[in-house]
Amino acid sequence: MLKLSVGLATHSLGLVSEAAHSGTDLVAALLTYFAIRVAARPADLQHQFGHGKAEHLAALSEAAVLSAVSVFISVRAIERLLGVTTSEVQTPWYSFVVIGVVIALDASRMIVSSRVARRYESAASASNAVHFGSDLVGSVAVLVGLVFAHYGHPNADPIAALFVGVLVLLAAARLIRRNVDVLMDRAPAEAEAAAQEAIEAIRPAVELRRLRMRQAGGKQFADVVIGVPPGAAVGQGHAAADAVEAAVERALPNADIVVHVEPLEDAGLRERAHAAAVAVPQVREVHNLTVVEVGGRKELSLHVKLPGDLSLVAAHDVAEDLEAAITAAVPEIEGVQTHIEPLTEPRAAREVVGDDEAVVRRIVREATGREPRELRFLRTDDGLVAFLTLGLDATSRLDAAHARASEIEEAIRRERPDIADVIVHTEP
């Protein structure tokens, strides 16, 4: 009201335009207040992604009001510059005092709104900061116009008013573009790049099949689809999803992330065969899958563990179902040979110490040149079992490490046939 009163009294179009511009502040403040209250509500059955877009609707409404004000200001300024309307601008001392006070108020409001917008990532507060910033620049322009009008350049006042109108229109255009992008779910480029980089840095690596993102109310929403080998257990797929979620959340704090896990369609023949086998009811474990090529035909052999209480007839039926499942899922395989084993039940055991320890340690030293990292003996119902851990060169190939472990295992069996089983674990 102060700017409007002084503007009408001095016939300053610049002050009147600033008064009209500032008149939208009440509308902006009310819109921001109600928008933030709505946006703060938690998600419900009707709004399952929350109410964050209320802030962007409010900011869009504020931009529409700013656009209308800018058109009004610009039209009046052009009319005065073209001589359609005339009025002698007066520049008494109190007009400069008023505009000085206005500049101080605009600066303080802009700073407060900017801090709130950065702290809470509020679109409505950000739009207010832009609004108050344009108020500040416009007020400075009006002050310059009054100074020039005071020294005999009356057109400086409508020029300042036109500048304010164009400035408000540009600010409104920026607000409209930014908030329409959010309301139309335009992908936030920077956030998407950060999420993709975080997923690609995960070790062990996962296959990123799709990444879709949107934002609302200062919060990022990510929809991620990853691929895992078809033979992976449910726990492995869940662990991969957890790793993706944690990586994206580190890159984009407070993000809402949904991860969907799919089997890899281009997995290797062995992995597809394993996935088909473990999907057969009553199959508890599959191992030792070997693919051989005989006369241009691929054949697969594998060991399958079934419940030990099954009859031989029932176990044979399961094996036939397994073979049919594999040939259906992997048409490249023309023959399947299964070795049926009973699922091992938990056995009673106790740890023992005996003369066998010195023999095993000597065999390991002769084969590797170093002591075993760990050696334990357990007495079970089936006999003595040795658990042995070997430390090998970190650059060793897996097949070479396995051969060395098999060599040590055979040497132990030859010297101490009383040991029923030898379990050799290798590590770098």
Side-chain angles (χ1 to χ4, degrees):
M1 290 299 294
L2 182 61
K3 283 193 284 189
L4 180 61
S5 301
V6 174
L8 293 175
T10 60
H11 306 290
S12 169
L13 183 59
L15 277 172
V16 172
S17 65
E18 264 300 290
H21 185 194
S22 297
T24 63
D25 290 352
L26 177 60
V27 177
L30 290 174
L31 285 172
T32 302
Y33 172 73
F34 288 112
I36 291 178
R37 288 195 62 182
V38 172
R41 295 176 184 172
D44 53 36
L45 291 177
Q46 288 76 35
H47 306 88
Q48 297 179 2
F49 289 94
H51 300 75
K53 287 190 175 181
E55 290 194 32
H56 303 281
L57 286 171
L60 199 61
S61 301
E62 183 177 339
V65 174
L66 287 173
S67 298
V69 171
S70 69
V71 170
F72 168 77
I73 294 172
S74 301
V75 169
R76 295 303 303 270
I78 292 172
E79 287 178 349
R80 186 169 292 188
L81 287 172
L82 295 177
V84 176
T85 59
T86 57
S87 182
E88 183 179 352
V89 180
Q90 301 175 11
T91 57
W93 64 269
Y94 56 83
S95 63
F96 293 101
V97 174
V98 169
I99 198 65
V101 172
V102 168
I103 288 174
L105 290 174
D106 289 341
S108 64
R109 293 188 302 175
M110 181 190 70
I111 292 172
V112 171
S113 295
S114 297
R115 288 177 177 174
V116 171
R118 285 195 300 271
R119 181 174 181 180
Y120 297 103
E121 296 183 352
S122 168
S125 295
S127 68
N128 263 355
V130 173
H131 188 170
F132 297 146
S134 64
D135 278 355
L136 175 61
V137 176
S139 297
V140 172
V142 170
L143 175 61
V144 173
L146 286 176
V147 170
F148 275 91
H150 181 74
Y151 288 100
H153 302 281
N155 281 341
D157 183 64
I159 289 175
L162 184 60
F163 176 80
V164 171
V166 172
L167 186 69
V168 173
L169 187 61
L170 291 175
R174 285 195 299 271
L175 281 177
I176 290 173
R177 182 182 62 187
R178 184 185 312 149
N179 290 280
V180 165
D181 284 347
V182 174
L183 293 171
M184 292 299 294
D185 286 333
R186 182 172 181 173
E190 291 184 6
E192 184 175 8
Q196 184 168 348
E197 183 178 351
I199 295 172
E200 290 175 350
I202 295 175
R203 294 295 179 271
V206 298
E207 179 184 303
L208 177 60
R209 289 190 164 184
R210 187 183 72 197
L211 173 61
R212 296 190 303 183
M213 296 198 64
R214 65 183 183 88
Q215 61 179 339
K219 189 173 186 178
Q220 306 290 343
F221 294 84
D223 174 16
V224 188
V225 178
I226 61 173
V228 299
V234 174
Q236 292 174 302
H238 183 70
D242 283 346
V244 170
E245 185 174 346
V248 175
E249 192 166 357
R250 284 193 299 270
L252 302 170
N254 196 36
D256 188 304
I257 307 151
V258 176
V259 183
H260 175 67
V261 180
E262 295 180 346
L264 294 173
E265 296 175 359
D266 57 349
L269 181 149
R270 194 189 309 270
E271 285 78 8
R272 286 183 285 148
H274 185 277
V278 296
V280 175
Q282 293 188 298
V283 172
R284 296 294 182 266
E285 182 183 323
V286 175
H287 61 99
N288 286 13
L289 281 80
T290 304
V291 179
V292 295
E293 192 165 339
V294 182
R297 299 172 64 252
K298 285 186 173 65
E299 295 187 8
L300 174 73
S301 65
L302 72 159
H303 292 208
V304 55
K305 288 193 174 184
L306 303 177
D309 58 356
L310 282 181
S311 67
L312 182 58
V313 173
H316 181 262
D317 290 341
V318 173
E320 287 192 336
D321 291 342
L322 180 146
E323 293 169 7
I326 291 177
T327 53
V330 191
E332 303 98 304
I333 294 178
E334 299 183 34
V336 181
Q337 300 294 325
T338 57
H339 172 70
I340 304 174
E341 300 175 355
L343 183 66
T344 304
E345 300 295 336
R347 296 178 295 177
R350 58 188 178 84
E351 193 163 351
V352 297
V353 178
D355 298 336
D356 299 302
E357 181 175 350
V359 175
V360 172
R361 289 185 178 277
R362 176 179 55 79
I363 292 173
V364 172
R365 284 196 302 271
E366 291 174 353
T368 65
R370 62 184 73 174
E371 290 284 337
R373 289 189 176 175
E374 184 179 0
L375 176 60
R376 297 170 60 231
F377 290 93
L378 295 182
R379 179 70 65 179
T380 70
D381 295 337
D382 297 328
L384 191 62
V385 179
F387 289 90
L388 173 64
T389 299
L390 298 179
L392 301 179
D393 188 346
T395 61
S396 300
R397 287 168 51 95
L398 179 59
D399 52 3
H402 181 266
R404 178 59 59 86
S406 299
E407 174 189 337
I408 292 174
E409 181 180 343
E410 291 301 322
I412 293 173
R413 290 180 186 276
R414 283 195 305 269
E415 292 207 25
R416 298 308 296 258
D418 57 313
I419 297 179
D421 198 5
V422 181
I423 309 299
V424 181
H425 171 69
T426 57
E427 60 186 27

